[in-house]
Amino acid sequence: MADRFLASRTALVTGSTSGIGLAIACGLAAAGAKIAINGLGTPEQIDAALQAVRDAGAADVRHFGADLRDPEQIEAMMAAIDAWSPLDVLVNNAGIQHAVPLAEMPTQKWNDILAINLSSAFHSMRLAMPGMAARGYGRVVNIASVHGLVASVNKAPYVASKFGIVGLSKVAALEYAAAGTRDSGGITVNCICPGWVETALIEPQIEARRNALGNPDATRDDGVRALLSEKQPSLRMSLPEDIASMVLWLCRREAHNVTGASFPIDGGWTAQ
Ligand code: NAD
């Protein structure tokens, strides 16, 4: 039986209707938390995500449907979650990507990527963290990227947003470092910085590498190998569940002094 160390805790995972966010929501559910999921999708996709989190063992689960480009919708979501069950764990995971050269980047893409990947975390943190401090326990885990630590071409807004969330997390970690106690667990703020993870977000990049091979018989696996050989020495993608495991550990009481850090899970990418 799973260790239910988050029983009596409530967690919000943004962008948890698919991919890494859904795996994190399921991991937190298996540890006993009440789960607020958020993210876009058809009613069927949202129902499937709710069912997956329920099946994983959530004490309770609801979908809160804010579009994270809109600060007013974020405020309404955070108020609704607080009325449902005050937040102990906040995982800012929602993110989008658009890979083209800087001079060709549509302004709307810049605005949307900065709003979803960075500004939404500012809003959820400013609204959730005072309550965490008052209760003596809180965990903010921001899903950044290796692109919060190093750059790549064609990803100007993505890299800017991810470097931004690494900086935002350090400031919040300092401001809340002394809140709570060792026994209550304290308030911590950290980033996880994945390299390639097997989700829908990177499929267009796999397809682009497969096409660039110029071989009509090239498979998706050939595209994956081409993509990883550029940057990720392990030549293995992470699974969403691998990222969820790190989030879970950060939520434990004994992680009370781990704050302001950014953890690469990148097969050696940023060691180079
Ligand atoms: P994904 O596309 O599977 O999931 C993204 C989630 O964000 C979905 O639930 C989607 O509905 C939600 N979302 C998008 N726009 C939204 C909006 N306007 N309002 C609310 N929700 C919105 O992607 P993923 O690969 O699981 O990525 C999750 C996070 O991990 C992102 O922040 C991404 O940058 C980061 N990341 C991913 C990888 C990777 O290789 N997949 C690597 C490093 C970092």
mmCIF file of all heavy atoms in Angstrom, residues 226-272:
data_model
loop_
_atom_site.group_PDB
_atom_site.id
_atom_site.type_symbol
_atom_site.label_atom_id
_atom_site.label_comp_id
_atom_site.label_asym_id
_atom_site.label_seq_id
_atom_site.Cartn_x
_atom_site.Cartn_y
_atom_site.Cartn_z
ATOM 1 N N ALA A 226 17.382 11.033 -33.041
ATOM 2 C CA ALA A 226 17.994 12.251 -33.604
ATOM 3 C C ALA A 226 17.838 13.416 -32.634
ATOM 4 O O ALA A 226 18.770 14.202 -32.415
ATOM 5 C CB ALA A 226 17.353 12.578 -34.955
ATOM 6 N N LEU A 227 16.646 13.518 -32.037
ATOM 7 C CA LEU A 227 16.381 14.627 -31.104
ATOM 8 C C LEU A 227 17.276 14.514 -29.872
ATOM 9 O O LEU A 227 17.938 15.484 -29.473
ATOM 10 C CB LEU A 227 14.901 14.564 -30.697
ATOM 11 C CG LEU A 227 14.349 15.706 -29.862
ATOM 12 C CD1 LEU A 227 14.365 17.010 -30.658
ATOM 13 C CD2 LEU A 227 12.920 15.406 -29.415
ATOM 14 N N LEU A 228 17.349 13.332 -29.272
ATOM 15 C CA LEU A 228 18.090 13.190 -28.018
ATOM 16 C C LEU A 228 19.591 13.284 -28.233
ATOM 17 O O LEU A 228 20.314 13.778 -27.362
ATOM 18 C CB LEU A 228 17.718 11.877 -27.320
ATOM 19 C CG LEU A 228 16.551 12.014 -26.322
ATOM 20 C CD1 LEU A 228 15.250 12.370 -27.009
ATOM 21 C CD2 LEU A 228 16.403 10.782 -25.460
ATOM 22 N N SER A 229 20.072 12.830 -29.386
ATOM 23 C CA SER A 229 21.522 12.823 -29.577
ATOM 24 C C SER A 229 22.086 14.239 -29.651
ATOM 25 O O SER A 229 23.267 14.452 -29.406
ATOM 26 C CB SER A 229 21.891 12.040 -30.835
ATOM 27 O OG SER A 229 21.349 12.690 -31.960
ATOM 28 N N GLU A 230 21.220 15.243 -29.931
ATOM 29 C CA GLU A 230 21.704 16.629 -29.945
ATOM 30 C C GLU A 230 22.092 17.109 -28.550
ATOM 31 O O GLU A 230 22.972 17.947 -28.395
ATOM 32 C CB GLU A 230 20.601 17.567 -30.457
ATOM 33 C CG GLU A 230 20.344 17.484 -31.933
ATOM 34 C CD GLU A 230 19.088 18.273 -32.325
ATOM 35 O OE1 GLU A 230 18.651 19.131 -31.542
ATOM 36 O OE2 GLU A 230 18.554 17.997 -33.408
ATOM 37 N N LYS A 231 21.377 16.647 -27.498
ATOM 38 C CA LYS A 231 21.483 17.313 -26.191
ATOM 39 C C LYS A 231 21.555 16.374 -24.994
ATOM 40 O O LYS A 231 22.128 16.732 -23.976
ATOM 41 C CB LYS A 231 20.232 18.193 -25.970
ATOM 42 C CG LYS A 231 19.955 19.215 -27.051
ATOM 43 C CD LYS A 231 20.581 20.542 -26.741
ATOM 44 C CE LYS A 231 20.181 21.577 -27.771
ATOM 45 N NZ LYS A 231 20.700 22.883 -27.479
ATOM 46 N N GLN A 232 20.846 15.225 -25.026
ATOM 47 C CA GLN A 232 20.604 14.466 -23.797
ATOM 48 C C GLN A 232 21.457 13.196 -23.815
ATOM 49 O O GLN A 232 21.079 12.199 -24.431
ATOM 50 C CB GLN A 232 19.107 14.141 -23.687
ATOM 51 C CG GLN A 232 18.702 13.551 -22.353
ATOM 52 C CD GLN A 232 17.259 13.868 -21.968
ATOM 53 O OE1 GLN A 232 16.803 14.997 -22.083
ATOM 54 N NE2 GLN A 232 16.530 12.892 -21.496
ATOM 55 N N PRO A 233 22.655 13.231 -23.138
ATOM 56 C CA PRO A 233 23.617 12.140 -23.271
ATOM 57 C C PRO A 233 23.079 10.762 -22.909
ATOM 58 O O PRO A 233 23.569 9.754 -23.433
ATOM 59 C CB PRO A 233 24.742 12.556 -22.316
ATOM 60 C CG PRO A 233 24.643 14.030 -22.244
ATOM 61 C CD PRO A 233 23.177 14.347 -22.337
ATOM 62 N N SER A 234 22.106 10.666 -22.033
ATOM 63 C CA SER A 234 21.574 9.335 -21.667
ATOM 64 C C SER A 234 20.869 8.674 -22.842
ATOM 65 O O SER A 234 20.679 7.454 -22.841
ATOM 66 C CB SER A 234 20.582 9.468 -20.507
ATOM 67 O OG SER A 234 19.421 10.158 -20.941
ATOM 68 N N LEU A 235 20.456 9.498 -23.833
ATOM 69 C CA LEU A 235 19.690 9.007 -24.987
ATOM 70 C C LEU A 235 18.389 8.324 -24.568
ATOM 71 O O LEU A 235 17.815 7.548 -25.320
ATOM 72 C CB LEU A 235 20.520 8.066 -25.872
ATOM 73 C CG LEU A 235 21.796 8.669 -26.468
ATOM 74 C CD1 LEU A 235 22.534 7.644 -27.322
ATOM 75 C CD2 LEU A 235 21.468 9.921 -27.297
ATOM 76 N N ARG A 236 17.927 8.614 -23.334
ATOM 77 C CA ARG A 236 16.640 8.092 -22.860
ATOM 78 C C ARG A 236 15.755 9.272 -22.498
ATOM 79 O O ARG A 236 16.213 10.199 -21.828
ATOM 80 C CB ARG A 236 16.812 7.262 -21.581
ATOM 81 C CG ARG A 236 17.705 6.073 -21.680
ATOM 82 C CD ARG A 236 17.652 5.277 -20.375
ATOM 83 N NE ARG A 236 18.129 6.016 -19.223
ATOM 84 C CZ ARG A 236 19.402 6.004 -18.796
ATOM 85 N NH1 ARG A 236 20.312 5.292 -19.416
ATOM 86 N NH2 ARG A 236 19.753 6.693 -17.724
ATOM 87 N N MET A 237 14.484 9.210 -22.908
ATOM 88 C CA MET A 237 13.539 10.198 -22.408
ATOM 89 C C MET A 237 13.096 9.798 -21.010
ATOM 90 O O MET A 237 13.028 8.607 -20.698
ATOM 91 C CB MET A 237 12.309 10.273 -23.322
ATOM 92 C CG MET A 237 12.569 11.059 -24.586
ATOM 93 S SD MET A 237 11.031 11.550 -25.381
ATOM 94 C CE MET A 237 10.711 10.101 -26.353
ATOM 95 N N SER A 238 12.761 10.802 -20.174
ATOM 96 C CA SER A 238 12.122 10.494 -18.889
ATOM 97 C C SER A 238 10.660 10.169 -19.121
ATOM 98 O O SER A 238 10.061 10.576 -20.124
ATOM 99 C CB SER A 238 12.206 11.705 -17.951
ATOM 100 O OG SER A 238 13.531 11.995 -17.615
ATOM 101 N N LEU A 239 10.076 9.436 -18.164
ATOM 102 C CA LEU A 239 8.625 9.256 -18.138
ATOM 103 C C LEU A 239 8.020 10.345 -17.255
ATOM 104 O O LEU A 239 8.668 10.805 -16.303
ATOM 105 C CB LEU A 239 8.279 7.886 -17.538
ATOM 106 C CG LEU A 239 8.682 6.677 -18.380
ATOM 107 C CD1 LEU A 239 8.474 5.390 -17.579
ATOM 108 C CD2 LEU A 239 7.878 6.648 -19.675
ATOM 109 N N PRO A 240 6.772 10.743 -17.526
ATOM 110 C CA PRO A 240 6.117 11.707 -16.638
ATOM 111 C C PRO A 240 6.152 11.262 -15.171
ATOM 112 O O PRO A 240 6.339 12.088 -14.273
ATOM 113 C CB PRO A 240 4.675 11.743 -17.172
ATOM 114 C CG PRO A 240 4.815 11.411 -18.625
ATOM 115 C CD PRO A 240 5.928 10.404 -18.699
ATOM 116 N N GLU A 241 6.043 9.953 -14.925
ATOM 117 C CA GLU A 241 6.059 9.434 -13.547
ATOM 118 C C GLU A 241 7.409 9.685 -12.871
ATOM 119 O O GLU A 241 7.483 9.786 -11.639
ATOM 120 C CB GLU A 241 5.777 7.919 -13.526
ATOM 121 C CG GLU A 241 4.377 7.525 -13.974
ATOM 122 C CD GLU A 241 4.147 7.656 -15.481
ATOM 123 O OE1 GLU A 241 5.144 7.695 -16.253
ATOM 124 O OE2 GLU A 241 2.977 7.735 -15.889
ATOM 125 N N ASP A 242 8.491 9.746 -13.664
ATOM 126 C CA ASP A 242 9.813 10.025 -13.078
ATOM 127 C C ASP A 242 9.841 11.438 -12.487
ATOM 128 O O ASP A 242 10.449 11.680 -11.434
ATOM 129 C CB ASP A 242 10.917 9.907 -14.135
ATOM 130 C CG ASP A 242 10.949 8.552 -14.829
ATOM 131 O OD1 ASP A 242 10.420 7.576 -14.259
ATOM 132 O OD2 ASP A 242 11.484 8.464 -15.956
ATOM 133 N N ILE A 243 9.187 12.364 -13.176
ATOM 134 C CA ILE A 243 9.130 13.755 -12.678
ATOM 135 C C ILE A 243 8.244 13.803 -11.429
ATOM 136 O O ILE A 243 8.566 14.468 -10.433
ATOM 137 C CB ILE A 243 8.582 14.701 -13.769
ATOM 138 C CG1 ILE A 243 9.286 14.466 -15.126
ATOM 139 C CG2 ILE A 243 8.673 16.155 -13.317
ATOM 140 C CD1 ILE A 243 10.788 14.580 -15.125
ATOM 141 N N ALA A 244 7.130 13.056 -11.476
ATOM 142 C CA ALA A 244 6.205 13.033 -10.323
ATOM 143 C C ALA A 244 6.909 12.549 -9.054
ATOM 144 O O ALA A 244 6.644 13.053 -7.960
ATOM 145 C CB ALA A 244 5.003 12.155 -10.649
ATOM 146 N N SER A 245 7.814 11.585 -9.185
ATOM 147 C CA SER A 245 8.505 11.048 -7.994
ATOM 148 C C SER A 245 9.293 12.136 -7.274
ATOM 149 O O SER A 245 9.335 12.180 -6.041
ATOM 150 C CB SER A 245 9.487 9.940 -8.387
ATOM 151 O OG SER A 245 8.799 8.862 -8.902
ATOM 152 N N MET A 246 9.931 13.011 -8.049
ATOM 153 C CA MET A 246 10.706 14.101 -7.429
ATOM 154 C C MET A 246 9.771 15.093 -6.736
ATOM 155 O O MET A 246 10.065 15.582 -5.638
ATOM 156 C CB MET A 246 11.543 14.803 -8.510
ATOM 157 C CG MET A 246 12.266 16.036 -8.047
ATOM 158 S SD MET A 246 13.566 15.676 -6.868
ATOM 159 C CE MET A 246 14.964 15.640 -7.980
ATOM 160 N N VAL A 247 8.618 15.382 -7.359
ATOM 161 C CA VAL A 247 7.639 16.285 -6.720
ATOM 162 C C VAL A 247 7.228 15.699 -5.369
ATOM 163 O O VAL A 247 7.179 16.408 -4.352
ATOM 164 C CB VAL A 247 6.394 16.475 -7.613
ATOM 165 C CG1 VAL A 247 5.342 17.309 -6.886
ATOM 166 C CG2 VAL A 247 6.766 17.110 -8.945
ATOM 167 N N LEU A 248 6.945 14.411 -5.359
ATOM 168 C CA LEU A 248 6.477 13.765 -4.120
ATOM 169 C C LEU A 248 7.527 13.887 -3.022
ATOM 170 O O LEU A 248 7.217 14.186 -1.872
ATOM 171 C CB LEU A 248 6.178 12.289 -4.392
ATOM 172 C CG LEU A 248 4.786 12.019 -4.939
ATOM 173 C CD1 LEU A 248 4.640 10.564 -5.304
ATOM 174 C CD2 LEU A 248 3.733 12.402 -3.921
ATOM 175 N N TRP A 249 8.780 13.629 -3.382
ATOM 176 C CA TRP A 249 9.825 13.706 -2.352
ATOM 177 C C TRP A 249 9.903 15.128 -1.779
ATOM 178 O O TRP A 249 10.022 15.319 -0.567
ATOM 179 C CB TRP A 249 11.190 13.276 -2.907
ATOM 180 C CG TRP A 249 12.191 13.305 -1.799
ATOM 181 C CD1 TRP A 249 12.343 12.385 -0.804
ATOM 182 C CD2 TRP A 249 13.103 14.368 -1.516
ATOM 183 N NE1 TRP A 249 13.311 12.815 0.086
ATOM 184 C CE2 TRP A 249 13.786 14.027 -0.327
ATOM 185 C CE3 TRP A 249 13.403 15.580 -2.135
ATOM 186 C CZ2 TRP A 249 14.761 14.845 0.236
ATOM 187 C CZ3 TRP A 249 14.387 16.407 -1.573
ATOM 188 C CH2 TRP A 249 15.048 16.024 -0.398
ATOM 189 N N LEU A 250 9.799 16.131 -2.654
ATOM 190 C CA LEU A 250 9.885 17.523 -2.184
ATOM 191 C C LEU A 250 8.749 17.869 -1.219
ATOM 192 O O LEU A 250 8.863 18.807 -0.432
ATOM 193 C CB LEU A 250 9.887 18.485 -3.376
ATOM 194 C CG LEU A 250 11.180 18.497 -4.203
ATOM 195 C CD1 LEU A 250 10.975 19.276 -5.499
ATOM 196 C CD2 LEU A 250 12.336 19.112 -3.397
ATOM 197 N N CYS A 251 7.629 17.132 -1.307
ATOM 198 C CA CYS A 251 6.483 17.412 -0.427
ATOM 199 C C CYS A 251 6.654 16.817 0.968
ATOM 200 O O CYS A 251 5.884 17.124 1.877
ATOM 201 C CB CYS A 251 5.199 16.861 -1.047
ATOM 202 S SG CYS A 251 4.681 17.770 -2.509
ATOM 203 N N ARG A 252 7.651 15.987 1.160
ATOM 204 C CA ARG A 252 7.801 15.315 2.452
ATOM 205 C C ARG A 252 8.295 16.306 3.513
ATOM 206 O O ARG A 252 8.977 17.287 3.201
ATOM 207 C CB ARG A 252 8.776 14.133 2.328
ATOM 208 C CG ARG A 252 8.323 13.094 1.306
ATOM 209 C CD ARG A 252 9.138 11.828 1.373
ATOM 210 N NE ARG A 252 8.714 11.029 2.502
ATOM 211 C CZ ARG A 252 7.829 10.010 2.428
ATOM 212 N NH1 ARG A 252 7.321 9.652 1.276
ATOM 213 N NH2 ARG A 252 7.467 9.364 3.506
ATOM 214 N N ARG A 253 7.957 16.043 4.773
ATOM 215 C CA ARG A 253 8.389 16.914 5.871
ATOM 216 C C ARG A 253 9.904 17.049 5.886
ATOM 217 O O ARG A 253 10.456 18.125 6.089
ATOM 218 C CB ARG A 253 7.887 16.355 7.225
ATOM 219 C CG ARG A 253 8.139 17.292 8.410
ATOM 220 C CD ARG A 253 8.375 16.544 9.701
ATOM 221 N NE ARG A 253 9.514 15.628 9.623
ATOM 222 C CZ ARG A 253 10.797 15.997 9.734
ATOM 223 N NH1 ARG A 253 11.109 17.264 9.922
ATOM 224 N NH2 ARG A 253 11.769 15.099 9.624
ATOM 225 N N GLU A 254 10.601 15.907 5.666
ATOM 226 C CA GLU A 254 12.068 15.937 5.793
ATOM 227 C C GLU A 254 12.749 16.750 4.694
ATOM 228 O O GLU A 254 13.953 16.998 4.771
ATOM 229 C CB GLU A 254 12.644 14.519 5.859
ATOM 230 C CG GLU A 254 12.342 13.630 4.669
ATOM 231 C CD GLU A 254 11.079 12.786 4.862
ATOM 232 O OE1 GLU A 254 10.130 13.265 5.523
ATOM 233 O OE2 GLU A 254 11.036 11.658 4.337
ATOM 234 N N ALA A 255 11.981 17.234 3.715
ATOM 235 C CA ALA A 255 12.538 18.134 2.691
ATOM 236 C C ALA A 255 12.386 19.599 3.104
ATOM 237 O O ALA A 255 12.533 20.489 2.267
ATOM 238 C CB ALA A 255 11.868 17.877 1.343
ATOM 239 N N HIS A 256 12.134 19.853 4.409
ATOM 240 C CA HIS A 256 11.826 21.225 4.863
ATOM 241 C C HIS A 256 12.949 22.206 4.583
ATOM 242 O O HIS A 256 12.713 23.404 4.466
ATOM 243 C CB HIS A 256 11.493 21.216 6.364
ATOM 244 C CG HIS A 256 12.668 20.874 7.242
ATOM 245 N ND1 HIS A 256 13.474 21.828 7.814
ATOM 246 C CD2 HIS A 256 13.185 19.668 7.600
ATOM 247 C CE1 HIS A 256 14.431 21.226 8.506
ATOM 248 N NE2 HIS A 256 14.289 19.910 8.390
ATOM 249 N N ASN A 257 14.203 21.713 4.474
ATOM 250 C CA ASN A 257 15.319 22.637 4.248
ATOM 251 C C ASN A 257 15.790 22.638 2.796
ATOM 252 O O ASN A 257 16.829 23.229 2.487
ATOM 253 C CB ASN A 257 16.493 22.273 5.166
ATOM 254 C CG ASN A 257 16.701 23.326 6.243
ATOM 255 O OD1 ASN A 257 16.211 24.458 6.119
ATOM 256 N ND2 ASN A 257 17.423 22.985 7.289
ATOM 257 N N VAL A 258 15.042 22.011 1.936
ATOM 258 C CA VAL A 258 15.378 22.024 0.501
ATOM 259 C C VAL A 258 14.525 23.107 -0.138
ATOM 260 O O VAL A 258 13.329 22.914 -0.380
ATOM 261 C CB VAL A 258 15.084 20.652 -0.142
ATOM 262 C CG1 VAL A 258 15.411 20.685 -1.633
ATOM 263 C CG2 VAL A 258 15.868 19.548 0.568
ATOM 264 N N THR A 259 15.104 24.277 -0.352
ATOM 265 C CA THR A 259 14.317 25.378 -0.923
ATOM 266 C C THR A 259 15.191 26.292 -1.767
ATOM 267 O O THR A 259 16.395 26.418 -1.517
ATOM 268 C CB THR A 259 13.589 26.163 0.201
ATOM 269 O OG1 THR A 259 12.569 26.971 -0.393
ATOM 270 C CG2 THR A 259 14.526 27.036 1.030
ATOM 271 N N GLY A 260 14.582 26.865 -2.794
ATOM 272 C CA GLY A 260 15.309 27.759 -3.693
ATOM 273 C C GLY A 260 16.194 27.022 -4.676
ATOM 274 O O GLY A 260 17.066 27.619 -5.311
ATOM 275 N N ALA A 261 15.963 25.713 -4.826
ATOM 276 C CA ALA A 261 16.831 24.894 -5.689
ATOM 277 C C ALA A 261 16.142 24.576 -7.018
ATOM 278 O O ALA A 261 14.913 24.653 -7.133
ATOM 279 C CB ALA A 261 17.188 23.596 -4.969
ATOM 280 N N SER A 262 16.958 24.232 -7.994
ATOM 281 C CA SER A 262 16.448 23.821 -9.310
ATOM 282 C C SER A 262 17.100 22.497 -9.649
ATOM 283 O O SER A 262 18.328 22.417 -9.736
ATOM 284 C CB SER A 262 16.809 24.864 -10.367
ATOM 285 O OG SER A 262 16.236 26.106 -10.014
ATOM 286 N N PHE A 263 16.291 21.472 -9.815
ATOM 287 C CA PHE A 263 16.794 20.106 -9.982
ATOM 288 C C PHE A 263 16.686 19.651 -11.427
ATOM 289 O O PHE A 263 15.582 19.412 -11.915
ATOM 290 C CB PHE A 263 15.991 19.137 -9.105
ATOM 291 C CG PHE A 263 16.104 19.432 -7.639
ATOM 292 C CD1 PHE A 263 15.128 20.169 -6.993
ATOM 293 C CD2 PHE A 263 17.199 18.996 -6.911
ATOM 294 C CE1 PHE A 263 15.239 20.458 -5.644
ATOM 295 C CE2 PHE A 263 17.323 19.277 -5.564
ATOM 296 C CZ PHE A 263 16.332 20.014 -4.923
ATOM 297 N N PRO A 264 17.808 19.500 -12.126
ATOM 298 C CA PRO A 264 17.734 18.932 -13.476
ATOM 299 C C PRO A 264 17.392 17.449 -13.420
ATOM 300 O O PRO A 264 17.903 16.722 -12.567
ATOM 301 C CB PRO A 264 19.146 19.128 -14.043
ATOM 302 C CG PRO A 264 19.897 19.931 -13.040
ATOM 303 C CD PRO A 264 19.183 19.795 -11.736
ATOM 304 N N ILE A 265 16.516 17.008 -14.303
ATOM 305 C CA ILE A 265 16.288 15.561 -14.539
ATOM 306 C C ILE A 265 16.450 15.418 -16.046
ATOM 307 O O ILE A 265 15.490 15.472 -16.808
ATOM 308 C CB ILE A 265 14.879 15.121 -14.087
ATOM 309 C CG1 ILE A 265 14.637 15.451 -12.599
ATOM 310 C CG2 ILE A 265 14.694 13.619 -14.332
ATOM 311 C CD1 ILE A 265 13.291 14.996 -12.054
ATOM 312 N N ASP A 266 17.723 15.352 -16.489
ATOM 313 C CA ASP A 266 17.992 15.650 -17.895
ATOM 314 C C ASP A 266 19.018 14.731 -18.551
ATOM 315 O O ASP A 266 19.572 15.073 -19.598
ATOM 316 C CB ASP A 266 18.440 17.110 -18.029
ATOM 317 C CG ASP A 266 19.783 17.384 -17.351
ATOM 318 O OD1 ASP A 266 20.371 16.452 -16.763
ATOM 319 O OD2 ASP A 266 20.248 18.537 -17.420
ATOM 320 N N GLY A 267 19.301 13.579 -17.926
ATOM 321 C CA GLY A 267 20.227 12.633 -18.545
ATOM 322 C C GLY A 267 21.605 13.219 -18.842
ATOM 323 O O GLY A 267 22.297 12.754 -19.756
ATOM 324 N N GLY A 268 22.012 14.247 -18.080
ATOM 325 C CA GLY A 268 23.334 14.834 -18.255
ATOM 326 C C GLY A 268 23.386 16.066 -19.151
ATOM 327 O O GLY A 268 24.451 16.659 -19.339
ATOM 328 N N TRP A 269 22.251 16.488 -19.684
ATOM 329 C CA TRP A 269 22.199 17.629 -20.620
ATOM 330 C C TRP A 269 22.960 18.839 -20.070
ATOM 331 O O TRP A 269 23.845 19.392 -20.734
ATOM 332 C CB TRP A 269 20.727 17.962 -20.855
ATOM 333 C CG TRP A 269 20.356 19.070 -21.784
ATOM 334 C CD1 TRP A 269 21.027 20.224 -22.064
ATOM 335 C CD2 TRP A 269 19.158 19.135 -22.577
ATOM 336 N NE1 TRP A 269 20.328 20.997 -22.954
ATOM 337 C CE2 TRP A 269 19.183 20.350 -23.284
ATOM 338 C CE3 TRP A 269 18.059 18.288 -22.729
ATOM 339 C CZ2 TRP A 269 18.144 20.745 -24.137
ATOM 340 C CZ3 TRP A 269 17.030 18.680 -23.571
ATOM 341 C CH2 TRP A 269 17.086 19.886 -24.275
ATOM 342 N N THR A 270 22.625 19.256 -18.834
ATOM 343 C CA THR A 270 23.221 20.496 -18.312
ATOM 344 C C THR A 270 24.556 20.246 -17.606
ATOM 345 O O THR A 270 25.161 21.180 -17.088
ATOM 346 C CB THR A 270 22.256 21.210 -17.344
ATOM 347 O OG1 THR A 270 21.853 20.282 -16.314
ATOM 348 C CG2 THR A 270 21.026 21.712 -18.075
ATOM 349 N N ALA A 271 25.038 18.980 -17.604
ATOM 350 C CA ALA A 271 26.378 18.713 -17.062
ATOM 351 C C ALA A 271 27.449 19.024 -18.103
ATOM 352 O O ALA A 271 28.634 19.080 -17.789
ATOM 353 C CB ALA A 271 26.479 17.249 -16.634
ATOM 354 N N GLN A 272 27.029 19.231 -19.362
ATOM 355 C CA GLN A 272 28.010 19.357 -20.450
ATOM 356 C C GLN A 272 28.633 20.743 -20.463
ATOM 357 O O GLN A 272 27.983 21.724 -20.135
ATOM 358 C CB GLN A 272 27.314 19.089 -21.793
ATOM 359 C CG GLN A 272 26.785 17.667 -21.876
ATOM 360 C CD GLN A 272 25.892 17.424 -23.094
ATOM 361 O OE1 GLN A 272 26.324 16.872 -24.077
ATOM 362 N NE2 GLN A 272 24.659 17.841 -22.991
#
